[in-house]
Amino acid sequence: LQTSTMESASSDKQYLAQHFDPKGYMETYYAFSPDKEGEMALTTFTLKNLHKAFVLGGLKGDTLIDIGSGPTIYQYFSACESFREIIPTDYTDKNHEEMQRWLRKEQGAFDWSSIAKYACELEGDREKWAQKEEKVRSRIKQLLKCDVDQSNPLAPLSLPPADCILSTYCLEVSSKDLPAFRSALKNMGSLLKRGGHLVLAITLEISFFMIGQNRFHCLYLEQKHLEEGVKEAGFEIKWMDVAKINFPLSLIDAKGAGFVVAQKR
């Protein structure tokens, strides 16, 4: 049974690696436009809570590791003010390639300026968005491969324990079932200093999302699963925010989102 479960998890990952379209994902879920109310609601929910955690809440340190960064960089607009180095990690190379396009300012890179302006507005000056983007670029010095199903998600590398682990909308996609979700949280926690912080965003009550014609399976998680998993992984929850969000059902069937800041015991 164990082998078949592992093979199934692996085939899910292979499907994701093969069919996930980074540009299509960003254009579907991160283009700020009036006809994307649900998608924008999720992004603003996330940005407000990242601002609360890193800018207002004072989480800071030397190193932040982002687990399952995907191709996006918006999750660093607040953290770049508080950490000297941000290390994005992902399972698929093409997400790294897409992120590199933005880091190098290559033609065809995704335009994050609308979201950068919103993040800067939260800090009181919308016009500083270009400096904000440059600060994010200066904080990222390496992109690493990760697999949250491994006891060391960054194996074969072994990094010094980080001050903060960030993960936004990754585990519900990468986890096959609840035990895998709980295990992934523990594995992520192993990368963190004692007393360090986990900052986690998850879509709740979801079973799938779409990119173009491709449908991706997700793990159905309720708020209680999120809370229990974080506590079981050796964390004390400092604060949590949950929001109901109305998504277009043709794209994604999530009912809402949860955001947790927790400290490693």
Side-chain angles (χ1 to χ4, degrees):
L1 181 67
Q2 183 64 33
T3 308
S4 69
T5 305
M6 286 174 73
E7 281 172 359
S8 176
S10 171
S11 65
D12 269 10
K13 278 185 195 165
Q14 294 311 320
Y15 180 84
L16 190 68
Q18 190 177 344
H19 295 284
F20 188 85
D21 168 17
K23 201 70 181 279
Y25 170 70
M26 293 187 292
E27 285 167 354
T28 302
Y29 294 98
Y30 295 100
F32 256 31
S33 64
D35 62 333
K36 291 184 176 284
E37 197 175 330
E39 300 92 312
M40 284 170 63
L42 181 65
T43 305
T44 54
F45 166 80
T46 314
L47 289 168
K48 283 175 181 172
N49 279 306
L50 290 168
H51 175 74
K52 181 179 173 183
F54 293 118
V55 180
L56 304 180
L59 289 192
K60 59 181 185 288
D62 289 327
T63 309
L64 176 147
I65 299 173
D66 181 21
I67 297 291
S69 58
T72 66
I73 54 85
Y74 76 98
Q75 64 270 34
Y76 310 138
F77 286 142
S78 293
C80 71
E81 304 296 336
S82 310
F83 290 86
R84 285 201 286 208
E85 183 175 9
I86 293 171
I87 304 173
T89 73
D90 201 78
Y91 184 73
T92 66
D93 294 334
K94 54 187 173 183
N95 280 332
H96 281 169
E97 288 159 14
E98 192 59 52
M99 189 183 283
Q100 285 284 18
R101 276 191 195 99
W102 183 84
L103 290 170
R104 294 177 184 144
K105 303 186 187 176
E106 289 177 11
Q107 195 169 354
F110 189 75
D111 179 4
W112 289 103
S113 61
S114 295
I115 294 180
K117 285 171 187 171
Y118 182 85
C120 289
E121 199 172 290
L122 292 173
E123 292 175 20
D125 190 351
R126 184 182 170 84
E127 296 313 310
K128 288 193 170 169
W129 66 271
Q131 293 100 302
K132 174 71 80 180
E133 289 193 347
E134 286 312 303
K135 186 169 272 192
V136 169
R137 287 185 175 96
S138 74
R139 296 290 189 248
I140 298 172
K141 298 171 178 71
Q142 56 183 335
L143 307 181
L144 300 180
K145 185 103 171 165
C146 81
D147 182 350
V148 289
D149 294 328
Q150 305 297 320
S151 56
N152 168 15
L154 303 180
L157 291 180
S158 183
L159 295 188
D163 300 290
C164 184
I165 297 291
L166 171 67
S167 187
T168 55
Y169 311 113
C170 162
L171 294 186
E172 65 272 47
V173 181
S174 65
S175 302
K176 178 80 181 154
D177 51 28
L178 266 176
F181 172 69
R182 294 190 186 112
S183 174
L185 284 167
K186 287 183 182 134
N187 296 340
M188 285 162 52
S190 73
L191 301 172
L192 198 54
K193 289 176 182 170
R194 177 169 287 185
H197 288 83
L198 170 71
V199 177
L200 182 66
I202 296 272
T203 37
L204 296 174
E205 299 177 54
I206 183 176
S207 70
F208 77 91
F209 70 97
M210 303 289 294
I211 304 173
Q213 298 304 306
N214 286 315
R215 182 183 174 109
F216 297 90
H217 166 79
C218 295
L219 177 64
Y220 181 93
L221 293 165
E222 295 174 9
Q223 181 179 342
K224 65 179 181 184
H225 300 133
L226 180 54
E227 290 179 45
E228 286 163 5
V230 169
K231 287 173 185 168
E232 277 176 28
F235 293 95
E236 180 189 345
I237 294 176
K238 291 299 181 185
W239 58 270
M240 182 169 185
D241 189 18
V242 174
K244 284 197 183 322
I245 297 172
N246 294 316
F247 292 101
L249 277 175
S250 58
L251 271 186
I252 178 171
D253 68 345
K255 304 286 189 299
F259 191 98
V260 177
V261 172
Q263 189 167 27
K264 185 174 178 178
R265 292 195 292 269

